[in-house]
Amino acid sequence: MRRLASVAVTAGMGLPALALADQPIPWATNFQPAASPTMEHIGELSTILNVVIIAIMVLVTALLAWCMWRYNARRNPVPAQWSHNTFIEIAWTAIPALILLVIALPSFRLLYFMDRTQEAEMTLKVTGHQWYWSYDYPDQNLQFDAMIVSDDELQPGQLRLLTTDREVVLPVGVPIRVLLTADDVIHSWAVPSLGVKTDTVPGRLNETWIRIDRPGTYYGQCSELCGVNHGFMPIMIRAVEKQQFHAWADETRARFAQSQQKPKGGKS
């Protein structure tokens, strides 16, 4: 209801209301809704882990309660004594090993899945700076910097600490190779609803990938402590249909060609 109300208010102010746009919500207790297959798999793994954790908690609590009731001083004034129990020692070694195996198999499968894609249709290069992001679309011959919009420049409906002066526009349903680096210190490019969080390291080119499943605006931030303005490096991605993306790229190139400037992208 809160999300629907927010969209309604935004539409009422005459601003573009993108369906199911994802952003932090006060007092949220779960992940943001998944907008990529990677985030869907992360949610599934989280469910498996929570089931395992709850089962262990219930078992340990039950055993502790039974021991407190069965072996308290009133019921056993003279405690029984023994030194070894082969069955128990085998059990408390084998059961944790099985639990770790149950956790490890889907974890490794997810790590390999989210590492990189062999079917990328386009590439986005991200460079971290103190304290802003640079984006390069090598396939579209576009480059621009994206900086935070300060509090005194925010427009109605824009999110504090999450809005940038230029949006990263990406197509929906397209596997996108993301290359990441930095030119000063280590940063981390993280967008929770897309399930991506990869460090940008000076002198190194890291790779990940995303495929956005639905249009909307997705927000993230730098997730690696990188200096005094670490908390002021937001990420703002606008996902549009493929035709709209190509139109945006063509319009942006034409705009900068007319101004005889190096392409730096911008909002359409």
Side-chain angles (χ1 to χ4, degrees):
M1 293 300 294
R2 184 179 299 163
R3 186 180 299 278
L4 293 176
S6 175
V7 172
V9 170
T10 303
M13 292 187 296
L15 298 173
L18 295 173
L20 296 173
D22 291 300
Q23 60 194 22
I25 298 175
W27 300 101
T29 58
N30 206 343
F31 296 125
Q32 294 179 18
S36 72
T38 298
M39 191 60 211
E40 290 179 0
H41 290 314
I42 291 174
E44 293 169 358
L45 178 61
S46 175
T47 300
I48 293 174
L49 295 179
N50 285 331
V51 169
V52 172
I53 291 170
I54 292 172
I56 293 173
M57 181 192 69
V58 170
L59 175 63
V60 172
T61 302
L63 288 174
L64 181 61
W66 181 74
C67 289
M68 293 170 62
W69 172 79
R70 177 65 180 81
Y71 298 107
N72 60 66
R74 179 175 58 83
R75 295 177 61 88
N76 294 273
V78 180
Q81 297 182 3
W82 63 86
S83 59
H84 296 285
N85 187 302
T86 302
F87 174 79
I88 291 179
E89 291 183 2
I90 293 175
W92 70 35
T93 301
I95 293 176
L98 291 175
I99 293 173
L100 292 176
L101 185 62
V102 169
I103 294 175
L105 291 178
S107 298
F108 285 127
R109 185 165 58 245
L110 176 58
L111 285 174
Y112 284 111
F113 176 80
M114 63 194 302
D115 181 46
R116 62 188 62 196
T117 178
Q118 304 298 329
E119 303 175 353
E121 295 185 23
M122 63 170 288
T123 298
L124 174 70
K125 183 179 179 182
V126 181
T127 304
H129 309 270
Q130 291 178 312
W131 287 271
Y132 63 95
W133 301 102
S134 292
Y135 297 98
D136 183 1
Y137 296 72
D139 303 308
Q140 287 74 33
N141 191 29
L142 292 173
Q143 294 177 330
F144 63 87
D145 299 332
M147 302 185 182
I148 189 172
V149 175
S150 60
D151 292 356
D152 57 347
E153 295 179 348
L154 286 173
Q155 301 299 315
Q158 292 184 330
L159 302 179
R160 178 178 177 270
L161 298 181
L162 291 175
T163 302
T164 58
D165 59 350
R166 293 186 175 98
E167 302 167 321
V168 181
V169 180
L170 294 174
V172 169
V174 173
I176 302 169
R177 177 183 294 109
V178 183
L179 305 177
L180 305 106
T181 188
D183 72 347
D184 38 46
V185 299
I186 299 176
H187 305 277
S188 184
W189 199 71
V191 185
S193 56
L194 302 182
V196 59
K197 180 180 180 294
T198 304
D199 285 352
T200 64
V201 183
R204 178 171 178 174
L205 197 63
N206 287 337
E207 180 178 338
T208 187
W209 72 286
I210 55 177
R211 192 195 75 199
I212 307 175
D213 290 337
R214 50 184 169 80
T217 301
Y218 305 94
Y219 298 92
Q221 292 176 304
C222 177
S223 295
E224 182 72 39
L225 187 60
C226 58
V228 64
N229 287 329
H230 158 70
F232 303 93
M233 290 182 63
I235 301 160
M236 186 176 179
I237 296 176
R238 179 161 62 94
V240 299
E241 297 296 339
K242 197 172 183 179
Q243 298 81 356
Q244 291 177 274
F245 170 76
H246 290 302
W248 168 83
D250 293 340
E251 178 186 349
T252 303
R253 277 195 302 270
R255 186 189 319 140
F256 283 94
Q258 292 174 358
S259 62
Q260 296 182 347
Q261 296 178 4
K262 181 180 178 180
K264 290 186 178 180
K267 293 183 285 188
S268 56

PDB file of all heavy atoms in Angstrom, residues 3 11 53 61 66 75 81 97 100 122 129 165 168 209 213 217 225 232 243 248 258 262 266:
ATOM      1  N   ARG A   3       3.820   1.625  -1.249  1.00  0.00           N
ATOM      2  CA  ARG A   3       4.413   1.822  -2.571  1.00  0.00           C
ATOM      3  C   ARG A   3       3.392   2.390  -3.537  1.00  0.00           C
ATOM      4  O   ARG A   3       3.684   3.300  -4.318  1.00  0.00           O
ATOM      5  CB  ARG A   3       4.953   0.486  -3.087  1.00  0.00           C
ATOM      6  CG  ARG A   3       5.720   0.626  -4.401  1.00  0.00           C
ATOM      7  CD  ARG A   3       6.221  -0.736  -4.851  1.00  0.00           C
ATOM      8  NE  ARG A   3       7.125  -1.291  -3.863  1.00  0.00           N
ATOM      9  CZ  ARG A   3       8.399  -0.978  -3.780  1.00  0.00           C
ATOM     10  NH1 ARG A   3       8.916  -0.115  -4.626  1.00  0.00           N
ATOM     11  NH2 ARG A   3       9.156  -1.523  -2.861  1.00  0.00           N
ATOM     12  N   ALA A  11       2.624  10.671  -9.345  1.00  0.00           N
ATOM     13  CA  ALA A  11       1.856  10.952 -10.546  1.00  0.00           C
ATOM     14  C   ALA A  11       1.047  12.233 -10.382  1.00  0.00           C
ATOM     15  O   ALA A  11       0.892  13.026 -11.311  1.00  0.00           O
ATOM     16  CB  ALA A  11       0.936   9.775 -10.868  1.00  0.00           C
ATOM     17  N   ILE A  53      18.576 -22.145   9.503  1.00  0.00           N
ATOM     18  CA  ILE A  53      18.838 -21.452  10.769  1.00  0.00           C
ATOM     19  C   ILE A  53      17.711 -21.681  11.765  1.00  0.00           C
ATOM     20  O   ILE A  53      17.947 -21.971  12.951  1.00  0.00           O
ATOM     21  CB  ILE A  53      19.039 -19.950  10.511  1.00  0.00           C
ATOM     22  CG1 ILE A  53      20.353 -19.715   9.753  1.00  0.00           C
ATOM     23  CG2 ILE A  53      19.033 -19.163  11.814  1.00  0.00           C
ATOM     24  CD1 ILE A  53      20.512 -18.300   9.239  1.00  0.00           C
ATOM     25  N   THR A  61      17.116 -25.335  20.958  1.00  0.00           N
ATOM     26  CA  THR A  61      16.246 -24.871  22.051  1.00  0.00           C
ATOM     27  C   THR A  61      15.507 -26.041  22.691  1.00  0.00           C
ATOM     28  O   THR A  61      15.391 -26.128  23.918  1.00  0.00           O
ATOM     29  CB  THR A  61      15.241 -23.829  21.531  1.00  0.00           C
ATOM     30  OG1 THR A  61      15.949 -22.735  20.951  1.00  0.00           O
ATOM     31  CG2 THR A  61      14.361 -23.319  22.656  1.00  0.00           C
ATOM     32  N   TRP A  66      14.825 -29.754  27.154  1.00  0.00           N
ATOM     33  CA  TRP A  66      14.694 -31.130  27.656  1.00  0.00           C
ATOM     34  C   TRP A  66      15.771 -31.433  28.694  1.00  0.00           C
ATOM     35  O   TRP A  66      15.485 -32.051  29.730  1.00  0.00           O
ATOM     36  CB  TRP A  66      14.796 -32.100  26.477  1.00  0.00           C
ATOM     37  CG  TRP A  66      14.639 -33.536  26.895  1.00  0.00           C
ATOM     38  CD1 TRP A  66      13.486 -34.173  27.258  1.00  0.00           C
ATOM     39  CD2 TRP A  66      15.693 -34.501  27.010  1.00  0.00           C
ATOM     40  NE1 TRP A  66      13.739 -35.483  27.579  1.00  0.00           N
ATOM     41  CE2 TRP A  66      15.078 -35.721  27.435  1.00  0.00           C
ATOM     42  CE3 TRP A  66      17.064 -34.475  26.785  1.00  0.00           C
ATOM     43  CZ2 TRP A  66      15.819 -36.882  27.646  1.00  0.00           C
ATOM     44  CZ3 TRP A  66      17.787 -35.629  26.991  1.00  0.00           C
ATOM     45  CH2 TRP A  66      17.173 -36.808  27.415  1.00  0.00           C
ATOM     46  N   ARG A  75      15.595 -33.477  40.050  1.00  0.00           N
ATOM     47  CA  ARG A  75      15.307 -34.804  39.515  1.00  0.00           C
ATOM     48  C   ARG A  75      16.531 -35.715  39.559  1.00  0.00           C
ATOM     49  O   ARG A  75      16.403 -36.939  39.540  1.00  0.00           O
ATOM     50  CB  ARG A  75      14.817 -34.701  38.062  1.00  0.00           C
ATOM     51  CG  ARG A  75      13.484 -33.967  37.917  1.00  0.00           C
ATOM     52  CD  ARG A  75      13.111 -33.832  36.445  1.00  0.00           C
ATOM     53  NE  ARG A  75      12.954 -35.146  35.827  1.00  0.00           N
ATOM     54  CZ  ARG A  75      11.803 -35.846  35.813  1.00  0.00           C
ATOM     55  NH1 ARG A  75      10.726 -35.347  36.422  1.00  0.00           N
ATOM     56  NH2 ARG A  75      11.741 -37.018  35.230  1.00  0.00           N
ATOM     57  N   GLN A  81      27.450 -40.104  35.357  1.00  0.00           N
ATOM     58  CA  GLN A  81      28.761 -39.753  34.821  1.00  0.00           C
ATOM     59  C   GLN A  81      29.161 -40.754  33.746  1.00  0.00           C
ATOM     60  O   GLN A  81      28.988 -41.952  33.909  1.00  0.00           O
ATOM     61  CB  GLN A  81      29.809 -39.748  35.943  1.00  0.00           C
ATOM     62  CG  GLN A  81      29.552 -38.707  37.015  1.00  0.00           C
ATOM     63  CD  GLN A  81      30.644 -38.706  38.074  1.00  0.00           C
ATOM     64  OE1 GLN A  81      31.622 -39.441  37.977  1.00  0.00           O
ATOM     65  NE2 GLN A  81      30.470 -37.870  39.098  1.00  0.00           N
ATOM     66  N   ALA A  97      28.193 -31.456   9.150  1.00  0.00           N
ATOM     67  CA  ALA A  97      28.784 -31.584   7.814  1.00  0.00           C
ATOM     68  C   ALA A  97      27.698 -31.618   6.746  1.00  0.00           C
ATOM     69  O   ALA A  97      27.832 -30.987   5.679  1.00  0.00           O
ATOM     70  CB  ALA A  97      29.643 -32.838   7.734  1.00  0.00           C
ATOM     71  N   LEU A 100      26.316 -28.070   6.320  1.00  0.00           N
ATOM     72  CA  LEU A 100      27.214 -27.249   5.513  1.00  0.00           C
ATOM     73  C   LEU A 100      27.121 -27.609   4.035  1.00  0.00           C
ATOM     74  O   LEU A 100      27.204 -26.731   3.166  1.00  0.00           O
ATOM     75  CB  LEU A 100      28.652 -27.409   6.008  1.00  0.00           C
ATOM     76  CG  LEU A 100      28.960 -26.827   7.390  1.00  0.00           C
ATOM     77  CD1 LEU A 100      30.394 -27.144   7.791  1.00  0.00           C
ATOM     78  CD2 LEU A 100      28.741 -25.316   7.396  1.00  0.00           C
ATOM     79  N   MET A 122      25.377  -5.909 -24.573  1.00  0.00           N
ATOM     80  CA  MET A 122      26.014  -4.601 -24.481  1.00  0.00           C
ATOM     81  C   MET A 122      26.903  -4.566 -23.248  1.00  0.00           C
ATOM     82  O   MET A 122      26.853  -5.476 -22.404  1.00  0.00           O
ATOM     83  CB  MET A 122      24.976  -3.470 -24.424  1.00  0.00           C
ATOM     84  CG  MET A 122      24.080  -3.502 -23.205  1.00  0.00           C
ATOM     85  SD  MET A 122      23.075  -2.012 -23.031  1.00  0.00           S
ATOM     86  CE  MET A 122      24.310  -0.791 -22.537  1.00  0.00           C
ATOM     87  N   HIS A 129      35.092   7.160  -8.380  1.00  0.00           N
ATOM     88  CA  HIS A 129      35.966   8.278  -8.022  1.00  0.00           C
ATOM     89  C   HIS A 129      35.600   8.743  -6.620  1.00  0.00           C
ATOM     90  O   HIS A 129      34.524   8.472  -6.115  1.00  0.00           O
ATOM     91  CB  HIS A 129      35.791   9.463  -8.983  1.00  0.00           C
ATOM     92  CG  HIS A 129      35.899   9.120 -10.431  1.00  0.00           C
ATOM     93  ND1 HIS A 129      37.091   9.144 -11.120  1.00  0.00           N
ATOM     94  CD2 HIS A 129      34.956   8.744 -11.338  1.00  0.00           C
ATOM     95  CE1 HIS A 129      36.877   8.810 -12.386  1.00  0.00           C
ATOM     96  NE2 HIS A 129      35.592   8.564 -12.545  1.00  0.00           N
ATOM     97  N   ASP A 165      22.487  13.588 -10.682  1.00  0.00           N
ATOM     98  CA  ASP A 165      22.165  14.584 -11.697  1.00  0.00           C
ATOM     99  C   ASP A 165      21.980  13.957 -13.075  1.00  0.00           C
ATOM    100  O   ASP A 165      21.326  14.540 -13.940  1.00  0.00           O
ATOM    101  CB  ASP A 165      23.237  15.680 -11.737  1.00  0.00           C
ATOM    102  CG  ASP A 165      24.631  15.117 -12.030  1.00  0.00           C
ATOM    103  OD1 ASP A 165      24.794  13.877 -12.018  1.00  0.00           O
ATOM    104  OD2 ASP A 165      25.552  15.923 -12.249  1.00  0.00           O
ATOM    105  N   VAL A 168      21.640   6.538 -15.115  1.00  0.00           N
ATOM    106  CA  VAL A 168      22.165   5.461 -15.948  1.00  0.00           C
ATOM    107  C   VAL A 168      20.964   4.813 -16.624  1.00  0.00           C
ATOM    108  O   VAL A 168      20.125   4.201 -15.959  1.00  0.00           O
ATOM    109  CB  VAL A 168      22.933   4.426 -15.107  1.00  0.00           C
ATOM    110  CG1 VAL A 168      23.483   3.326 -15.996  1.00  0.00           C
ATOM    111  CG2 VAL A 168      24.040   5.098 -14.319  1.00  0.00           C
ATOM    112  N   TRP A 209      27.477  -8.917 -14.165  1.00  0.00           N
ATOM    113  CA  TRP A 209      26.468  -8.721 -15.200  1.00  0.00           C
ATOM    114  C   TRP A 209      25.104  -8.507 -14.554  1.00  0.00           C
ATOM    115  O   TRP A 209      24.873  -8.882 -13.399  1.00  0.00           O
ATOM    116  CB  TRP A 209      26.405  -9.906 -16.156  1.00  0.00           C
ATOM    117  CG  TRP A 209      25.789 -11.144 -15.560  1.00  0.00           C
ATOM    118  CD1 TRP A 209      26.358 -11.976 -14.652  1.00  0.00           C
ATOM    119  CD2 TRP A 209      24.467 -11.653 -15.807  1.00  0.00           C
ATOM    120  NE1 TRP A 209      25.492 -12.999 -14.320  1.00  0.00           N
ATOM    121  CE2 TRP A 209      24.323 -12.817 -15.015  1.00  0.00           C
ATOM    122  CE3 TRP A 209      23.407 -11.252 -16.620  1.00  0.00           C
ATOM    123  CZ2 TRP A 209      23.147 -13.579 -15.027  1.00  0.00           C
ATOM    124  CZ3 TRP A 209      22.242 -12.004 -16.626  1.00  0.00           C
ATOM    125  CH2 TRP A 209      22.125 -13.166 -15.835  1.00  0.00           C
ATOM    126  N   ASP A 213      14.625  -7.042 -15.369  1.00  0.00           N
ATOM    127  CA  ASP A 213      13.435  -7.720 -15.866  1.00  0.00           C
ATOM    128  C   ASP A 213      12.233  -6.814 -16.071  1.00  0.00           C
ATOM    129  O   ASP A 213      11.283  -7.215 -16.753  1.00  0.00           O
ATOM    130  CB  ASP A 213      13.043  -8.861 -14.904  1.00  0.00           C
ATOM    131  CG  ASP A 213      14.036 -10.005 -14.948  1.00  0.00           C
ATOM    132  OD1 ASP A 213      14.729 -10.135 -15.975  1.00  0.00           O
ATOM    133  OD2 ASP A 213      14.132 -10.757 -13.953  1.00  0.00           O
ATOM    134  N   THR A 217      12.876   2.649 -11.870  1.00  0.00           N
ATOM    135  CA  THR A 217      14.071   3.352 -11.417  1.00  0.00           C
ATOM    136  C   THR A 217      14.608   2.629 -10.201  1.00  0.00           C
ATOM    137  O   THR A 217      13.871   2.389  -9.238  1.00  0.00           O
ATOM    138  CB  THR A 217      13.764   4.817 -11.070  1.00  0.00           C
ATOM    139  OG1 THR A 217      13.231   5.462 -12.226  1.00  0.00           O
ATOM    140  CG2 THR A 217      15.026   5.549 -10.640  1.00  0.00           C
ATOM    141  N   LEU A 225      33.693   1.587   2.292  1.00  0.00           N
ATOM    142  CA  LEU A 225      34.139   2.821   2.927  1.00  0.00           C
ATOM    143  C   LEU A 225      35.315   3.399   2.146  1.00  0.00           C
ATOM    144  O   LEU A 225      36.379   2.795   2.072  1.00  0.00           O
ATOM    145  CB  LEU A 225      34.533   2.548   4.380  1.00  0.00           C
ATOM    146  CG  LEU A 225      34.861   3.768   5.229  1.00  0.00           C
ATOM    147  CD1 LEU A 225      33.678   4.705   5.308  1.00  0.00           C
ATOM    148  CD2 LEU A 225      35.303   3.351   6.622  1.00  0.00           C
ATOM    149  N   PHE A 232      27.867   9.686   0.034  1.00  0.00           N
ATOM    150  CA  PHE A 232      27.283  10.609  -0.932  1.00  0.00           C
ATOM    151  C   PHE A 232      27.655  10.209  -2.360  1.00  0.00           C
ATOM    152  O   PHE A 232      27.954  11.046  -3.201  1.00  0.00           O
ATOM    153  CB  PHE A 232      27.752  12.039  -0.634  1.00  0.00           C
ATOM    154  CG  PHE A 232      27.423  12.482   0.766  1.00  0.00           C
ATOM    155  CD1 PHE A 232      28.344  12.320   1.789  1.00  0.00           C
ATOM    156  CD2 PHE A 232      26.186  13.022   1.073  1.00  0.00           C
ATOM    157  CE1 PHE A 232      28.050  12.710   3.086  1.00  0.00           C
ATOM    158  CE2 PHE A 232      25.878  13.413   2.364  1.00  0.00           C
ATOM    159  CZ  PHE A 232      26.809  13.255   3.372  1.00  0.00           C
ATOM    160  N   GLN A 243      13.602  -0.285 -27.268  1.00  0.00           N
ATOM    161  CA  GLN A 243      13.447   0.758 -28.272  1.00  0.00           C
ATOM    162  C   GLN A 243      13.667   2.142 -27.663  1.00  0.00           C
ATOM    163  O   GLN A 243      14.282   3.022 -28.281  1.00  0.00           O
ATOM    164  CB  GLN A 243      12.059   0.678 -28.917  1.00  0.00           C
ATOM    165  CG  GLN A 243      11.779  -0.612 -29.663  1.00  0.00           C
ATOM    166  CD  GLN A 243      11.360  -1.755 -28.745  1.00  0.00           C
ATOM    167  OE1 GLN A 243      11.343  -1.615 -27.526  1.00  0.00           O
ATOM    168  NE2 GLN A 243      11.022  -2.887 -29.346  1.00  0.00           N
ATOM    169  N   TRP A 248      16.998   6.993 -26.724  1.00  0.00           N
ATOM    170  CA  TRP A 248      17.731   7.856 -25.776  1.00  0.00           C
ATOM    171  C   TRP A 248      19.192   7.999 -26.200  1.00  0.00           C
ATOM    172  O   TRP A 248      19.754   9.100 -26.182  1.00  0.00           O
ATOM    173  CB  TRP A 248      17.644   7.254 -24.382  1.00  0.00           C
ATOM    174  CG  TRP A 248      18.577   7.895 -23.393  1.00  0.00           C
ATOM    175  CD1 TRP A 248      18.375   9.043 -22.678  1.00  0.00           C
ATOM    176  CD2 TRP A 248      19.875   7.409 -23.007  1.00  0.00           C
ATOM    177  NE1 TRP A 248      19.464   9.313 -21.884  1.00  0.00           N
ATOM    178  CE2 TRP A 248      20.405   8.328 -22.061  1.00  0.00           C
ATOM    179  CE3 TRP A 248      20.645   6.303 -23.371  1.00  0.00           C
ATOM    180  CZ2 TRP A 248      21.661   8.150 -21.473  1.00  0.00           C
ATOM    181  CZ3 TRP A 248      21.894   6.141 -22.790  1.00  0.00           C
ATOM    182  CH2 TRP A 248      22.389   7.062 -21.858  1.00  0.00           C
ATOM    183  N   GLN A 258      25.722  18.325 -31.795  1.00  0.00           N
ATOM    184  CA  GLN A 258      25.332  19.690 -32.129  1.00  0.00           C
ATOM    185  C   GLN A 258      26.084  20.716 -31.296  1.00  0.00           C
ATOM    186  O   GLN A 258      26.416  21.796 -31.773  1.00  0.00           O
ATOM    187  CB  GLN A 258      23.828  19.865 -31.936  1.00  0.00           C
ATOM    188  CG  GLN A 258      22.989  19.087 -32.936  1.00  0.00           C
ATOM    189  CD  GLN A 258      21.506  19.170 -32.628  1.00  0.00           C
ATOM    190  OE1 GLN A 258      21.107  19.790 -31.645  1.00  0.00           O
ATOM    191  NE2 GLN A 258      20.693  18.528 -33.461  1.00  0.00           N
ATOM    192  N   LYS A 262      32.357  16.552 -26.302  1.00  0.00           N
ATOM    193  CA  LYS A 262      32.525  15.101 -26.130  1.00  0.00           C
ATOM    194  C   LYS A 262      31.260  14.540 -25.519  1.00  0.00           C
ATOM    195  O   LYS A 262      30.722  15.107 -24.578  1.00  0.00           O
ATOM    196  CB  LYS A 262      33.711  14.817 -25.204  1.00  0.00           C
ATOM    197  CG  LYS A 262      33.980  13.334 -24.999  1.00  0.00           C
ATOM    198  CD  LYS A 262      35.154  13.137 -24.069  1.00  0.00           C
ATOM    199  CE  LYS A 262      35.397  11.651 -23.809  1.00  0.00           C
ATOM    200  NZ  LYS A 262      36.541  11.432 -22.906  1.00  0.00           N
ATOM    201  N   GLY A 266      23.224  12.078 -20.532  1.00  0.00           N
ATOM    202  CA  GLY A 266      22.328  12.983 -19.818  1.00  0.00           C
ATOM    203  C   GLY A 266      20.946  12.403 -19.741  1.00  0.00           C
ATOM    204  O   GLY A 266      20.669  11.338 -20.262  1.00  0.00           O
TER     205      GLY A 266
END
